[in-house]
């Protein structure tokens, strides 16, 4: 290939650089562009070469190198809006969010000044503004840009997914509202699998949302490979697959599971793309594996090859379809392993290559089976493991947390997007009937806080009776859980890890169990801990029970005494037995067809 660039035309330069890039020789292509630019200082098309060179640096995740190239291209050709869009990306990737937002807004301003703006560029700018602002938790601005984008082009399922969920996060009700030509039905059909878990206690709708994700985002599954033949006496190789093996709900629940696996029978691998957050929990998790294998830098295909090379017998997916998921690893069926869903997605993934979901008789009743693509892998006591070594801070006082000492304290610490209008209305009726009470809530963001206060006022409740707690480090958070009289669960998205923490701290939680896996999680935990009387099966029953308990502090004191005395003796917190149950169920799958 010609490397003398003195007389090379821009067209030939682009062709040669394109071949090099396709061959994986991007650094060589970069050097070729730089050599051409060094000698073609006055070329009228120099801005094109600068732009292309910026793109190459961007492909190598080198935003600092790309930024000055885009700026120079724009100096030479100010109307090159694609360069301004890419400059925004380069700035964002350096953490300069406000600067990136300014570039994308300038693109919109310039497009607004022309009679027929380029729709593709307009959508690119709008959607990047929405995405970046949502990541920065500037929800109101992000939502406004999403709405503008959908008015330009209604047929954008990905934008609609974020639009629905960002309204849930802000407790903006009703969540589904007409936007231009986007119908309510289209919004429902575009609701993400995660958002749907919080929206409807309907297993058919949850299956529909999961299937839509699989249809749009995953590759076709490969044929099942033969299972590995183990030698006599050889240990079963279990692989855990997750991007949440850090200070995350999944990491908090599973660390002792990894530690307690019977090493005489099992060899334990962790295939991980988690954030290295430097936490003691992260350190414990890594030490708990026989083999901790980082796959964050690998493509899905390469990651599957690594799993294949490790000869995994059982691959346990702890991620599902949640944020950061990599389902295309599972579609490749690495090593012919049995593939099992656990904890990360409390519902069906609709992935045809996932064979089982870990469950128990309460969380997965027989009537749910038609709506789950995974077969239930039932444990005899409870589906959920946890950690008996979780960090708990020193005891707190109600006064130190802004709580009244002389009132009944209801609390609901689930994420705000899990609160539905129906559940919140129920809480307000409970407060009305227990007048000497307050409701302690988690403050996710200022918009949800304000919207919930406004809704309380509409329903006749003094907004001052809603007390919001900011986020806290895990030890302090755990200490807070001992302060309320009674926690109130959400429906359909029950507390999972949160309920486990609440019960560990000796505080009762009242739940309403529905028709879906996720709406029965807390009921499973209450059954295992020996408090089935705190399970209700309708919001009317839930309201009645909450009022009874709120008016009878002696009942609450009785539940707290029970948890204090028997917490470590019940099935929920007998973690060694739960791990044994799980190991038996996992190994049994190797003998099934």
């Amino acid at each position: 290939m010609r490397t003398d660039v003195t007389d090379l035309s821009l067209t030939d330069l682009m062709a040669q650089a394109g071949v090099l890039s396709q061959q994986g020789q991007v650094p060589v292509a970069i050097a070729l562009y730089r050599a051409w630019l060094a000698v073609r200082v006055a070329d009228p098309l120099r801005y094109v070469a600068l732009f292309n060179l910026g793109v190459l640096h961007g492909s190598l995740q080198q935003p600092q190198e790309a930024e000055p190239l885009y700026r120079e291209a724009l100096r030479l050709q100010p109307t090159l809006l694609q360069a301004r869009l890419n400059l925004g990306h380069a700035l964002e990737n350096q953490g300069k969010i406000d600067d990136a937002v300014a570039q994308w807004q300038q693109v919109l301003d310039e497009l607004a000044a022309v009679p027929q703006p380029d729709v593709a560029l307009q959508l690119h700018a709008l959607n990047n503004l929405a995405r970046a602002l949502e990541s920065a938790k500037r929800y109101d601005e992000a939502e406004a840009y999403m709405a503008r984008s959908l008015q330009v082009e209604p047929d954008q399922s990905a934008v609609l997914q974020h639009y629905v969920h960002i309204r849930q996060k802000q407790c903006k009700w009703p969540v589904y509202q007409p936007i231009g030509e986007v119908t309510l039905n289209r919004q429902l059909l575009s609701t993400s699998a995660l958002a749907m878990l919080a929206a409807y206690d309907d297993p058919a709708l949850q299956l529909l949302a999961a299937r839509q994700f699989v249809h749009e985002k995953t590759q076709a599954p490969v044929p099942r490979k033969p299972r590995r033949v183990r030698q006599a006496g050889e240990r079963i190789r279990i692989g855990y697959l997750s991007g949440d093996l850090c200070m995350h709900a999944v990491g908090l629940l599973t660390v002792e599971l990894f530690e307690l696996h019977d090493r005489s029978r099992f060899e334990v691998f962790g295939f991980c793309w988690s954030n290295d957050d430097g936490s003691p929990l992260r350190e414990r998790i890594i030490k708990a594996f026989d083999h901790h294998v980082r796959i964050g830098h690998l493509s899905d295909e390469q990651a599957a090859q690594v799993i294949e090379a490790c000869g995994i017998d059982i691959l346990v997916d702890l991620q599902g379809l949640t944020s950061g998921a990599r389902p295309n690893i599972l579609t490749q069926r690495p090593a012919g392993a049995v593939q099992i869903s656990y904890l990360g997605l409390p519902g069906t993934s609709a992935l045809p290559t996932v064979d089982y979901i870990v469950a128990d008789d309460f969380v997965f009743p027989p009537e749910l089976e038609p709506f789950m693509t995974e077969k239930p892998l039932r444990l005899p006591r409870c589906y959920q493991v946890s950690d008996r070594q979780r960090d708990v801070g020193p005891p707190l006082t109600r006064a130190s947390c802004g709580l009244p000492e002389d009132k009944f304290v209801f609390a609901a610490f689930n994420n705000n997007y899990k609160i539905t209008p129906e559940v919140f209305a129920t809480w307000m009726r409970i407060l009305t009937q227990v007048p000497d009470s307050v409701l302690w809530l988690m403050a996710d963001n200022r918009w949800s806080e304000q919207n919930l206060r406004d809704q309380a006022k509409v329903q006749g409740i003094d907004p001052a009776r809603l007390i919001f707690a900011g986020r806290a480090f895990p030890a302090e958070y755990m200490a807070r859980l001992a302060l309320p009289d009674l926690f109130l669960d959400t429906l359909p998205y029950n507390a999972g890890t949160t309920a486990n923490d609440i019960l560990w701290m000796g505080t009762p939680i009242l739940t309403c169990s529905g028709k879906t896996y996720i709406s029965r999680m807390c009921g499973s935990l209450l059954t295992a801990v020996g408090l089935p009387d705190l399970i209700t099966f309708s919001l009317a029953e839930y309201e009645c029970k909450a009022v009874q308990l709120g008016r009878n502090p002696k009942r609450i004191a009785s539940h707290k005494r029970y948890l204090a005395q028997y917490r470590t003796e019940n099935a929920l917190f007998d973690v060694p037995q739960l791990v044994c149950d799980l190991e038996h169920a996992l190994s049994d799958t190797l003998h099934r067809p």
Side-chain angles (χ1 to χ4, degrees):
M1 181 174 290
R2 179 180 176 182
T3 56
D4 180 9
V5 299
T6 306
D7 299 318
L8 203 63
S9 70
L10 178 62
T11 301
D12 290 339
L13 170 69
M14 292 168 62
Q16 288 193 20
V19 171
L20 289 167
S21 297
Q22 290 174 358
Q23 294 173 346
Q25 300 184 63
V26 176
V28 180
I30 286 174
L32 187 65
Y33 266 111
R34 289 198 176 276
W36 189 90
L37 286 164
V39 298
R40 303 295 285 267
V41 177
D43 193 293
L45 295 178
R46 178 180 173 83
Y47 70 91
V48 178
L50 287 163
F51 174 81
N52 290 346
L53 180 56
V55 171
L56 290 175
H57 277 294
S59 72
L60 295 180
Q61 299 182 349
Q62 298 172 341
Q64 289 178 313
E65 287 80 1
E67 179 188 343
L69 297 168
Y70 292 133
R71 290 192 185 278
E72 178 63 11
L74 285 164
R75 187 186 68 80
L76 296 173
Q77 183 61 268
T79 60
L80 186 60
L81 295 186
Q82 187 61 60
R84 194 168 299 284
L85 289 168
N86 284 16
L87 174 58
H89 288 295
L91 292 165
E92 180 190 20
N93 290 333
Q94 295 175 72
K96 302 174 183 177
I97 301 300
D98 288 341
D99 292 340
V101 166
Q103 293 297 327
W104 293 326
Q105 184 58 60
Q106 187 171 338
V107 171
L108 292 179
D109 293 342
E110 293 185 26
L111 287 171
V114 300
Q116 293 183 317
D118 186 309
V119 171
L121 293 179
Q122 192 175 16
L123 292 176
H124 190 153
L126 287 166
N127 293 342
N128 277 293
L129 281 162
R131 178 189 49 74
L133 291 166
E134 181 180 13
S135 297
K137 299 188 182 301
R138 292 161 61 176
Y139 293 150
D140 56 341
E141 297 172 77
E143 181 191 346
Y145 282 116
M146 290 177 200
R148 284 179 61 183
S149 177
L150 291 166
Q151 286 166 348
V152 172
E153 173 50 71
D155 190 16
Q156 296 186 85
S157 178
V159 177
L160 269 172
Q161 286 183 15
H162 284 267
Y163 177 80
V164 168
H165 198 40
I166 206 168
R167 289 182 64 82
Q168 286 180 316
K169 289 177 180 178
Q170 297 173 89
C171 297
K172 291 187 79 169
W173 303 325
V175 169
Y176 299 109
Q177 283 198 337
I179 319 163
E181 298 179 15
V182 182
T183 63
L184 298 182
N185 176 261
R186 180 62 193 275
Q187 291 179 53
L188 176 67
L189 294 177
S190 297
T191 300
S192 69
L194 177 63
M196 190 64 81
L197 295 178
Y200 291 100
D201 184 34
D202 187 328
L205 284 177
Q206 292 183 7
L207 173 62
L208 176 67
R211 284 180 61 88
Q212 187 69 15
F213 178 96
V214 171
H215 173 72
E216 293 179 354
K217 302 290 179 66
T218 66
Q219 302 166 357
V222 303
R224 185 183 292 276
K225 302 179 180 72
R227 293 181 185 173
R228 182 177 77 96
V229 178
R230 286 184 294 117
Q231 302 302 313
E234 187 179 4
R235 292 184 295 172
I236 296 171
R237 295 178 184 174
I238 299 179
Y240 288 95
L241 186 67
S242 181
D244 292 329
L245 300 177
C246 53
M247 191 56 67
H248 181 278
V250 169
L252 290 163
L253 283 178
T254 55
V255 59
E256 193 171 8
L257 161 65
F258 305 143
E259 293 170 338
L260 290 179
H261 268 308
D262 182 353
R263 285 339 201 249
S264 69
R265 297 178 58 216
F266 299 95
E267 188 174 2
V268 185
F269 294 71
F271 299 102
C272 171
W273 61 96
S274 308
N275 177 29
D276 286 313
D277 56 16
S279 64
L281 175 67
R282 171 76 173 155
E283 185 179 358
R284 269 185 72 195
I285 290 171
I286 292 174
K287 288 181 178 178
F289 291 120
D290 298 313
H291 311 277
H292 176 249
V293 186
R294 288 182 169 87
I295 59 172
H297 62 293
L298 302 177
S299 68
D300 293 337
E301 292 76 12
Q302 291 169 331
Q305 290 168 7
V306 167
I307 296 169
E308 182 104 31
C310 291
I312 299 302
D313 299 303
I314 300 169
L315 186 60
V316 181
D317 175 40
L318 298 172
Q319 194 87 27
L321 307 181
T322 58
S323 178
R326 299 182 63 178
N328 284 319
I329 295 175
L330 297 166
T331 63
Q332 296 171 71
R333 301 184 196 267
V338 178
Q339 299 194 148
I340 297 171
S341 173
Y342 190 34
L343 293 177
L345 182 73
T348 187
S349 69
L351 289 167
T353 55
V354 176
D355 304 297
Y356 299 95
I357 184 170
V358 178
D360 57 49
D361 287 341
F362 190 95
V363 82
F364 194 148
E367 56 267 26
L368 187 54
E369 293 193 27
F371 305 100
M372 304 282 287
T373 59
E374 305 87 352
K375 295 186 286 290
L377 188 64
R378 300 186 190 277
L379 305 190
R381 294 163 183 82
C382 182
Y383 81 99
Q384 190 184 93
V385 293
S386 58
D387 177 25
R388 296 168 299 170
Q389 301 173 49
R390 66 193 94 184
D391 192 14
V392 178
L396 299 171
T397 64
R398 283 189 171 184
S400 69
C401 294
L403 297 172
E405 298 282 359
D406 58 344
K407 295 185 183 298
F408 191 96
V409 177
F410 293 104
F413 276 8
N414 287 356
N415 288 324
N416 291 172
Y417 77 85
K418 301 176 184 179
I419 303 173
T420 65
E422 296 78 14
V423 165
F424 190 75
T426 302
W427 291 347
M428 295 304 97
R429 290 194 297 271
I430 292 167
L431 292 184
T432 299
Q433 297 170 77
V434 186
D436 208 24
S437 66
V438 297
L439 176 60
W440 198 20
L441 296 161
M442 187 64 67
D444 272 355
N445 59 78
R446 60 187 175 89
W447 301 280
S448 64
E449 182 175 340
Q450 186 58 55
N451 286 332
L452 291 175
R453 290 191 189 280
D454 291 344
Q455 283 293 321
K457 191 173 183 179
V458 167
Q459 297 183 47
I461 294 295
D462 181 354
R465 293 178 67 186
L466 273 55
I467 301 170
F468 287 85
R471 295 286 175 177
F473 289 110
E476 181 184 346
Y477 165 77
M478 291 295 296
R480 286 179 182 178
L481 301 182
L483 296 177
D485 295 294
L486 177 67
F487 274 89
L488 298 174
D489 199 9
T490 45
L491 178 78
Y493 205 133
N494 274 189
T497 307
T498 304
N500 195 298
D501 289 337
I502 289 165
L503 293 168
W504 179 257
M505 292 306 298
T507 304
I509 180 170
L510 177 68
T511 193
C512 184
S513 296
K515 304 173 185 176
T516 54
Y517 187 112
I518 200 162
S519 71
R520 301 178 67 83
M521 292 192 301
C522 190
S524 170
L525 272 58
L526 286 166
T527 300
V529 86
L531 290 175
D533 57 316
L534 293 177
I535 305 170
T536 64
F537 295 94
S538 71
L539 284 179
E541 183 189 358
Y542 171 91
E543 177 183 334
C544 182
K545 176 75 75 170
V547 171
Q548 289 174 357
L549 292 169
R551 291 174 174 175
N552 190 353
K554 291 183 179 180
R555 289 277 303 278
I556 294 295
S558 174
H559 287 316
K560 288 196 171 190
R561 282 194 302 271
Y562 169 81
L563 287 170
Q565 184 172 355
Y566 297 107
R567 179 191 68 182
T568 58
E569 300 177 16
N570 59 58
L572 179 60
F573 297 119
D574 186 353
V575 181
Q577 183 60 57
L578 287 174
V579 173
C580 184
D581 291 342
L582 180 62
E583 289 178 339
H584 179 78
L586 293 176
S587 59
D588 185 58
T589 64
L590 297 177
H591 306 292
R592 300 184 187 183

